[in-house]
Amino acid sequence: MRAYGTELASPLMLGTALYDSPAVLAASVKAARPGAVTVSLRRESAGEQAGQAFWELVRGLEVPVLPNTAGCHTVREAVTTAQMAREVFDTDWIKLEVIGQGDLLQPDVFALVEAARILTEEGFKVFPYTTEDLVVAERLLRAGCELLMPWGAPIGSGRGLNNVFGLRALRAHFPEIPMVIDAGIGRPSHAVTAFELGYDAILINTAVAKAGDPVSMAEAFRLACEVGRLASEADPMEERDMAVPSTPTLGKAVFAS
């Protein structure tokens, strides 16, 4: 996938939260071979030694870093967090999250558009965590975003792609815009479906970090991304309502009774 002029080595993006240990995180990243890893920046821990050690670990993974504004609920909070992330990680990439509803961690799309506008004006390359709403997508693109990250399902739910119709419509309406399914993917089969719908990449975290064997699951998702992308590029057959024989009847031997 190409994001803001940069070709990512893999269509898989991997989150770095919730792992049981740094060693498990590092092994999972090695198995997944992601095109980028995401990392949250908490303002309250910006100067703490533990936070600095974690950020050094992430840098040592030798994978492009996509900082995010996870946990932010206002435009001001998200913008400030993004500005700090740029200083810490020396990148103008930012995964923009502005949460508006606590139970489902649904994006506040009104604040999201405003924060995206402010950040793009400041030179950020914004990766917005959004819904599959076509109007919101249009507003984000007008605000300066060149990429969209619609949710598959609520963060950490593992439910897969809740609104396949909406996601298919979004993909069809903006065919040239890079799109990443972000949030809700719980199984490698969900990832394959995302690519078959025409999406360019996926972002996962909980599905790997909280698997019984995170390293094996990371590898499974890597393979699923390869399978899904290959299947999408092969142009799968369309679904039909009626059966179509795979063996032609023309020229078939006829036995007289």
Side-chain angles (χ1 to χ4, degrees), residues 123-239:
F124 283 91
K125 295 177 172 63
V126 178
F127 295 63
Y129 164 61
T130 184
T131 65
E132 67 277 19
D133 187 284
L134 293 174
V135 177
V136 175
E138 182 66 42
R139 297 291 175 84
L140 287 168
L141 295 174
R142 289 180 186 173
C145 298
E146 298 180 11
L147 178 148
L148 298 172
M149 301 184 77
W151 67 346
I155 293 172
S157 68
R159 295 178 59 87
L161 308 181
N162 272 354
N163 184 2
V164 171
F165 172 81
L167 290 170
R168 183 182 287 116
L170 181 66
R171 176 69 282 179
H173 199 72
F174 302 101
E176 303 302 322
I177 301 299
M179 291 194 192
V180 182
I181 295 291
D182 176 19
I185 289 180
R187 303 187 181 197
S189 57
H190 298 157
V192 173
T193 300
F195 286 102
E196 290 178 343
L197 287 176
Y199 281 79
D200 302 288
I202 64 166
L203 194 159
I204 53 173
N205 190 163
T206 309
V208 170
K210 288 305 173 186
D213 184 345
V215 178
S216 293
M217 187 60 75
E219 183 176 11
F221 269 105
R222 174 179 62 80
L223 295 172
C225 288
E226 294 177 4
V227 168
R229 186 165 62 174
L230 185 61
S232 177
E233 292 172 350
D235 191 15
M237 65 174 285
E238 295 183 2
E239 295 182 2

Side-chain angles (χ1 to χ4, degrees), residues 38-43 66-86 89 93-100 107 111-112 115-116 119 124-129 149 155 182 203:
T38 63
V39 58
S40 301
L41 182 75
R42 296 289 186 175
R43 286 182 295 174
L66 175 61
N68 70 39
T69 62
C72 293
H73 291 80
T74 67
V75 172
R76 181 177 179 180
E77 188 178 17
V79 169
T80 301
T81 302
Q83 292 167 339
M84 295 184 66
R86 179 157 60 181
F89 292 105
W93 283 16
I94 191 72
K95 183 191 169 210
L96 181 60
E97 296 183 25
V98 187
I99 301 301
L112 178 68
L119 290 172
F124 283 91
K125 295 177 172 63
V126 178
F127 295 63
Y129 164 61
M149 301 184 77
I155 293 172
D182 176 19
L203 194 159

Side-chain angles (χ1 to χ4, degrees), residues 30-73:
K30 183 177 180 180
R33 303 178 198 169
V37 294
T38 63
V39 58
S40 301
L41 182 75
R42 296 289 186 175
R43 286 182 295 174
E44 60 268 25
S45 65
E48 294 179 2
Q49 185 174 357
Q52 294 290 346
F54 177 74
W55 296 332
E56 289 298 330
L57 168 65
V58 170
R59 290 191 188 97
L61 296 173
E62 297 184 347
V63 176
V65 174
L66 175 61
N68 70 39
T69 62
C72 293
H73 291 80

